[in-house]
Amino acid sequence: FYLTGIALGPRGKLDIPVLFIPSTMKLHEAQVVIHVMRENGENWPYEDSAQLNKDLKSITLAENGGIQGIRWIYPVHGIPEAPQQKSVSAVIRCRARHRFQQRVEVLLTGIVPGAMAVPAGRNAAQVVRNKPGNIQDEVQVTSGFSKKVEFLYELQYQSDKIKSQLDALVGIHLMKKEQDPESGSVTLIFNIVFAPNKPMRNAATLVVQCATGGIWKFPLLFIATEPEVDDVINIEAAGLNKESVVGFRLTSQRR
């Protein structure tokens, strides 16, 4: 749409509201173009107007020389984000100083059957299997996809400090993706590896973005419980008011 006849004084400011109401989980692109001309209709003088590039989109040249108008072009990318429902977090629980693998299934619903764009739908994160297994090197694509659809994913944490602590302790890998040919819903199955070194409890968010546009967010909760007891030290009393001593070794895991 176009708005014309807006007067802007020297050093003035112009607010341009942009409203984005996506109906599908697909990237939308637009441009905000601002075309400025003098209020009196005169041109801006420019001595070398003949040498100006005729294909330059930022200026409008007058027939008799000079610059008739100046344009600013701002590209706008509309990326829809699925509303976060009050779904229960998928819990990844492991004892400290152990390693645990868990498969987490996320559902991207509301997709038009046969379409590669993913309309907005509800979020669901559900643990489907708690069984150790080897992480697959390749993503399996079922016959429900008529084309290859790429998904980007990452784990986001509440702070940079938590991120620095968990980056080395958590691994995530997309193992499989499926699409229901009737409803169009996409299911992604992730394998998450958790190897905590101390007790902790931290929330995270699994963010999934489709290459064609659209973002989904799923809550996760990482819980590391107390580790097993390393050893039991028995000290035998030597007698009343007598010192009893026992020795043991501690080995550092770091330099």
Side-chain angles (χ1 to χ4, degrees), residues 10-211:
R11 298 184 180 274
K13 293 183 179 180
L14 176 62
D15 293 328
I16 302 176
V18 177
L19 185 63
F20 180 48
I21 309 178
S23 58
T24 60
M25 295 293 282
K26 182 179 180 181
L27 174 66
H28 295 75
E29 296 179 296
Q31 288 184 338
V32 176
V33 181
I34 303 172
H35 192 195
V36 177
M37 294 181 293
R38 278 187 166 183
E39 188 176 11
N40 57 13
E42 296 180 358
N43 300 328
W44 281 284
Y46 191 79
E47 295 179 357
D48 299 328
S49 59
Q51 298 181 3
L52 286 175
N53 188 351
K54 304 297 183 181
D55 297 329
L56 194 62
K57 295 182 179 181
S58 60
I59 62 172
T60 304
L61 296 178
E63 295 180 358
N64 57 354
I67 299 176
Q68 185 180 25
I70 302 175
R71 261 186 272 189
W72 287 266
I73 302 175
Y74 299 94
V76 178
H77 286 183
I79 302 177
E81 182 174 326
Q84 281 191 280
Q85 305 293 331
K86 294 182 180 179
S87 57
V88 179
S89 301
V91 179
I92 295 89
R93 188 189 302 269
C94 179
R95 206 166 193 174
R97 299 207 299 266
H98 282 69
R99 185 178 183 273
F100 183 69
Q101 287 191 123
Q102 186 162 289
R103 293 190 181 185
V104 174
E105 178 181 304
V106 298
L107 183 64
L108 315 179
T109 62
I111 302 172
V112 178
M116 291 301 103
V118 185
R122 66 179 178 88
N123 294 347
Q126 180 183 4
V127 178
V128 295
R129 191 178 302 174
N130 298 335
K131 163 172 126 173
N134 296 328
I135 298 176
Q136 299 183 16
D137 295 330
E138 297 181 358
V139 176
Q140 299 176 1
V141 182
T142 65
S143 58
F145 282 94
S146 59
K147 295 180 181 179
K148 185 177 180 181
V149 181
E150 296 295 335
F151 290 91
L152 305 176
Y153 56 92
E154 67 171 344
L155 289 175
Q156 293 182 354
Y157 304 98
Q158 295 176 341
S159 66
D160 292 338
K161 182 178 180 181
I162 297 177
K163 175 179 172 61
S164 62
Q165 293 175 351
L166 291 183
D167 268 351
L169 308 178
V170 178
I172 184 170
H173 177 70
L174 177 59
M175 298 183 64
K176 190 176 182 181
K177 53 185 177 180
E178 299 175 341
Q179 185 179 35
D180 189 324
E182 295 182 359
S183 66
S185 300
V186 174
T187 299
L188 302 181
I189 300 177
F190 293 91
N191 189 83
I192 298 180
V193 179
F194 186 35
N197 52 12
K198 62 181 180 179
M200 65 178 67
R201 183 187 181 95
N202 288 306
T205 302
L206 172 58
V207 181
V208 179
Q209 181 173 2
C210 184

